[in-house]
Amino acid sequence: MDNITTGSFIKQLRKEKDMTQKQLADLLHITDRAVSKWERGVCAPDISLLEPLAEILEVSIVELIQGERAEAPQEAEASAKEIISYSQNEVRRKVRGVQKKYLLIVALVLAVAALIGGVLLWRSGRLFILDEVVSPDGTCRTTVYSKRLNGSSFSFENEISVITEQEDGLQWRVIYGDCTYRGLWWSPDSRKYVLALDYDDENRLTLSWLDRNSSSNLNAYLSMGVETTELRKYGYSTPDGWPEIEYQFLQWGTDSASMLVYYVFEDSVGEDHSGYFWYNCETGAVDGILEMDSR
């Protein structure tokens, strides 16, 4: 196909039908600028447009390609249509092949991005956060995780881990093992906090001091303080010694040293005892015991 010859032929046929470039373009669902380019020999019609263009101009496809009227045998016209149909099918097949490859590449990219994102989320621990508590003065943030800390990342083990980060970026990390998180309470002075955890054999309160960089079993200190009070009369004469007491933290006092604690235990004769007391974590003193009526 010679672009200039074919373009001149298209222009001749269009004018014979008294059609404008825009009218011809509208019939082919293209722009009149495309028709103008054909007629100027800048480019040739797309192969998919040869058959409809030939029908509109009332010439054969062979004549359109040759750029002149000719007595083309019917076999030649059929062969041209067959070639065009084959070419169009090949174009569509190649396009589908390119689309499949493109979709496969996109799927692979998305899969890799999801994998990288998942790894980053796992390493950061954002997937395992149980709680985030900011200190009253806003200088510290304590985050509780459901997975065991393993260096800078997290393992697959289900254990409670706690990271306390100060505003200067300094971090304090503690692993509390296989237990259930129940709550965390900062003291008003933002220097310490109480953490409540449930283990299989006990409900444990821990007291963490930021300035001392320590975490201790508060239950043991509470029991030591209780032993010096009137509650010691229950169960002390038994061979097993002091009965097991369950403690629940309720609130901090305004002095940031005292804390209100709920207690419950069963004495040596099977009677339940429960009540409240104030515990001073600075002095270890227990006072203000209020025992509830067990009846």
Side-chain angles (χ1 to χ4, degrees):
M1 178 186 293
D2 181 87
N3 291 351
I4 295 179
T5 302
T6 299
S8 298
F9 190 49
I10 292 172
K11 182 176 182 180
Q12 174 190 333
L13 296 173
R14 175 180 62 79
K15 288 188 174 182
E16 287 177 1
K17 291 189 170 295
D18 198 23
M19 296 174 61
T20 64
Q21 289 181 344
K22 187 173 188 319
Q23 289 173 331
L24 178 58
D26 290 342
L27 292 173
L28 295 171
H29 306 293
I30 59 176
T31 65
D32 54 352
R33 295 179 63 182
V35 175
S36 175
K37 287 182 178 181
W38 297 346
E39 295 182 354
R40 288 184 286 117
V42 176
C43 62
D46 187 90
I47 193 170
S48 63
L49 296 175
L50 289 177
E51 187 172 356
L53 179 59
E55 291 179 359
I56 294 171
L57 298 178
E58 295 183 351
V59 292
S60 68
I61 297 174
V62 174
E63 289 174 315
L64 196 59
I65 293 174
Q66 291 178 346
E68 61 181 358
R69 293 187 184 276
E71 291 296 330
Q74 188 174 1
E75 294 80 2
E77 181 69 11
S79 177
K81 289 184 178 181
E82 184 178 343
I83 292 172
I84 291 174
S85 177
Y86 173 78
S87 299
Q88 290 175 334
N89 289 335
E90 280 296 295
V91 170
R92 283 193 289 267
R93 183 183 66 80
K94 290 181 179 179
V95 169
R96 285 195 296 269
V98 172
Q99 288 176 337
K100 287 181 180 178
K101 289 181 181 178
Y102 174 76
L103 291 175
L104 179 60
I105 292 173
V106 170
L108 288 174
V109 170
L110 291 176
V112 171
L115 179 61
I116 294 175
V119 171
L120 292 176
L121 283 174
W122 186 284
R123 289 180 60 85
S124 68
R126 301 303 299 178
L127 297 174
F128 319 117
I129 292 178
L130 297 176
D131 198 5
E132 284 185 316
V133 186
V134 179
S135 62
D137 63 3
T139 61
C140 299
R141 178 187 299 272
T142 299
T143 307
V144 183
Y145 301 89
S146 62
K147 295 292 183 181
R148 179 181 177 84
L149 275 167
N150 184 16
S152 61
S153 183
F154 291 83
S155 69
F156 291 95
E157 299 176 79
N158 293 322
E159 297 187 8
I160 297 299
S161 302
V162 177
I163 298 179
T164 300
E165 185 172 4
Q166 302 182 48
E167 61 181 353
D168 57 4
L170 184 65
Q171 289 187 349
W172 181 32
R173 301 180 172 213
V174 182
I175 301 172
Y176 290 96
D178 187 11
C179 55
T180 302
Y181 170 72
R182 293 303 182 193
L184 186 149
W185 300 268
W186 277 95
S187 62
D189 62 3
S190 300
R191 292 176 52 217
K192 49 193 173 293
Y193 60 80
V194 171
L195 184 68
L197 303 168
D198 284 353
Y199 290 85
D200 290 337
D201 57 346
E202 69 171 330
N203 299 326
R204 184 184 303 174
L205 298 177
T206 66
L207 177 60
S208 298
W209 300 74
L210 263 66
D211 49 1
R212 301 180 186 179
N213 197 27
S214 67
S215 180
S216 58
N217 184 351
L218 184 59
N219 291 43
Y221 290 97
L222 291 174
S223 294
M224 289 173 59
V226 167
E227 286 183 16
T228 63
T229 69
E230 64 266 25
L231 293 178
R232 63 177 304 183
K233 61 186 177 183
Y234 301 108
Y236 234 105
S237 60
T238 66
D240 297 331
W242 186 256
E244 183 178 347
I245 304 176
E246 180 180 331
Y247 300 103
Q248 294 181 21
F249 181 87
L250 297 179
Q251 70 177 58
W252 283 97
T254 56
D255 60 358
S256 294
S258 57
M259 55 184 75
L260 184 61
V261 179
Y262 170 82
Y263 71 89
V264 59
F265 67 90
E266 182 180 300
D267 66 16
S268 58
V269 295
E271 290 188 7
D272 291 331
H273 299 269
S274 62
Y276 306 88
F277 62 81
W278 286 97
Y279 172 75
N280 190 303
C281 62
E282 298 281 359
T283 64
V286 171
D287 56 37
I289 295 178
L290 175 63
E291 185 173 8
M292 301 176 65
D293 192 342
S294 60
R295 290 178 298 175

